[in-house]
Amino acid sequence: MKRLSPLVLAFAFLSFMSFSVNAAEKGIIRGKVIEEVGALPIPYAAVSLYEGTNEQTLSITQSDENGFFKIGNLKVGTYRVKVSYVGYTNLFVNEIIITEKDFDKNLGNLKLASEQSNLNEVVITAQKPLVEFGADVITYNVGSSVLAEGSTATDVLKNVPMVQVDIDGNATISGKRSTRVFIDGKPSDYMTSNIADLLNVLPSDAIEKIEVMTNPPSKYSGDGEGILNIVMKKGFKVGFNGNIGINAGLQGNTNTNAFASYRGKNFNINGGGAYRQNIGKGNSESYRTNIFPDTTFYYNQFNNNRNENEGGNFRVGFDWDITPKQSLRLSTNYNVNSTNSLSGNDFYYLNEEQIATRLRNQQNLGDGNSNNFVFNADYNLQTDTIGGKMTIGVTINTNSNNDFRSYNRTYAFPVNLNPSLQQNDNQTGNDGLTFNLDYDKPVFKKRDQLEFGLAYNYRKNDNDLLVQNFNYQTQEYITNQKLTNKFFYNENILSGYASYNYRKGGWGLKGGVRAEYTNVNFDLSTGSSYNVKPYLSAFPSVSINRFFKKRYNFGTTYSVRINRPRENTLNPQVNNADTLNISYGNPDLSPSYTHQMDVSFGAFGLKWSFTPRISYSTSSGVIERYRIVNPNGISESTFDNVGTNQSFALMLIGNFRPTNKISTNGNFSVIQSKYSSSLNSSLNRDGLSLRGSLGISMQLPYKTAFESNLNYANNITAQGRNKGSVNSSFGARKSFFKNTLSVRISTQDPFGRKNNNSFNQGLNFISQSYSTNNSSNVNFSLNYRFTKVKVNKVVIPPAPKQ
């Protein structure tokens, strides 16, 4: 609790400052948001207010069901407004001057142009709020975060509301066991064999925003109980602009990146690159009690590791507005990663009297590299003048991963036991093709939208594992035929969907259904072949929202999702890197289906927002890893459809802005989970999971900004619990030369290293593990932004006051 005292004092100070708001402020800015074509009102458009040239958002509101908005309680001064809505180009209004005599400014009709029809967008830049809350999605604007500069996608995800990143770099949404990561609306797991590797090298400066979807629309794949969609920067500003940055940390990590974009009258070309080096250190210990009818014995294990990683990301994009109704977008992305690792393990064998009878030492060396290439092409056609749009997209990807490891095992006592030396050479190839055809249009020329489309996904994975053991007599390596194997995986998914969205009078209704036909087959070089019977799945989704009194929103959703077993869980190849704790996949897994329902209520004030959510889900055939211990003490870990899971969650999400220059956001979730299994009685378990985060951002004098975040997680699993410590990060940034140069210093976990501990219990064992890594770090970064743009002025004609 002592560590949290500075945070408590900070909030007390902020609360005191909130009472100093001048009650005499009476300025008003109002207007109406409409479509450029058809002049139809746009409800729920986001209207952001900025003071002068300040980068920090002063307030955010939404237009009502008739497109009107009103921002009050403003003091005398100069303001600017940004209006944004999905599918339309952002509109900026400059130099809105409020005086004592002219304090009510009516901007009249603000016309938003469709993204497909607008060639010369307004390029006056403005700072977006860090976090935006919608009925079905939470948006984290990466460019608004001080801590995100000079980092990677993995680092950014750690501070996104409702998201947790584990020690291996895997990201999940609170309460969602199977979360999928998308990039620009397309699944990233079709692009690489290891998502964590991709996110660890993807620079944050290439990311525009991250969307957290707990109830994804029907146009997205039915996989996963939630989706994290990473939206990349497109560089659509008119003229030439870009940035160059460098980041270095005391732990030995460095990161350099560059991005440039040029926008002409009807085309845009952009590209960027990044290179990252990182050093990871850690240690862990585990204690396992093995319980059998005739004896009880113990295994204690102590580990230390050091990893050196380096990687690069390179991307090029070309966007061409062929005609006012047609556009073509092309992009390529190439990632390369390499790693070197060194670790040591000490294994203690203790008898029933807890006396050590054996001590085995193991030295592990690892050398790995991977590369991934992705090509995207999207063609957009505006089919009519009322908003009809067709999109055809193709994604082609290829990935290769080589991982070489050696394990040298010797015994400190008894000395008569023979040593062993083993080498594992694992080569993985991953290729894929994705095709999608989408069409949407208004039906009754009102605020409705009909969407339907088709998609085809193909994926091939080849996993070649060669295991060799050293023969000390012949002084040569001999292939281990029992562990050496090749795994071939092929997946074909054909999908179709249709949805309808209708909004009127504050009501919003969206319903849709997606159907997916799945055909999977895989086999081993040993001759074993598995042909999963093709299956057809349907995924209905419904959401109802009600916006009333211009400050409240009520919503409810229902959807069905699927968790398909893929090569990482199906592959039966044995991993015996730790011979006392071996692991392998299960080729007999079946897909798991989840029915999930959410109820949310949003309340929005001038300086605050609060969105509590209640979620319930029930899953059948839940796929999770579980462990058994054999009489010889060897633990076997695999995956299975462990049974059913019922989950009930309460999520509290909020934002508070006590002053114009201070913004806080936080989220907290309590999740009650209950596992039921006929497979293993040890899997009948229920308990609470707790997750929470708190963030503060401040705009300080002299073009300085400050941001901090705290995160905590404590999760139940089918066979135990994972506990995490409080993780924290703090950062400060100062801008120079008209905001073109920024300097940042940040620190991660200054109060101590990141610690994790877990508890697992089976029918005949109890295991506890503790680990820590070198997450404590201080980073310094420089970032230079250059721009040469053409500014389009917006002239607002006089309009009568309302």
Side-chain angles (χ1 to χ4, degrees), residues 74-106:
L74 301 176
K75 63 183 180 181
V76 172
T78 302
Y79 299 87
R80 51 197 174 95
V81 164
K82 184 190 77 169
V83 184
S84 59
Y85 190 76
V86 177
Y88 293 85
T89 299
N90 295 341
L91 175 66
F92 298 87
V93 183
N94 267 348
E95 298 181 357
I96 306 171
I97 302 175
I98 292 179
T99 65
E100 290 288 350
K101 295 182 179 180
D102 187 11
F103 59 86
D104 192 344
K105 288 290 186 178
N106 192 327

Side-chain angles (χ1 to χ4, degrees), residues 42-84:
I42 300 179
Y44 320 127
V47 182
S48 303
L49 180 69
Y50 303 86
E51 185 176 13
T53 59
N54 201 325
E55 295 183 359
Q56 183 73 22
T57 307
L58 183 62
S59 67
I60 306 171
T61 188
Q62 287 183 316
S63 59
D64 63 19
E65 57 267 26
N66 297 313
F68 291 102
F69 69 89
K70 177 182 176 181
I71 306 174
N73 299 324
L74 301 176
K75 63 183 180 181
V76 172
T78 302
Y79 299 87
R80 51 197 174 95
V81 164
K82 184 190 77 169
V83 184
S84 59

Side-chain angles (χ1 to χ4, degrees), residues 303-323:
N303 313 303
N304 61 81
N305 63 82
R306 175 187 172 91
N307 300 292
E308 296 184 5
N309 301 280
E310 61 179 335
N313 172 271
F314 309 94
R315 58 203 178 279
V316 176
F318 177 74
D319 303 88
W320 178 28
D321 296 316
I322 305 171
T323 70

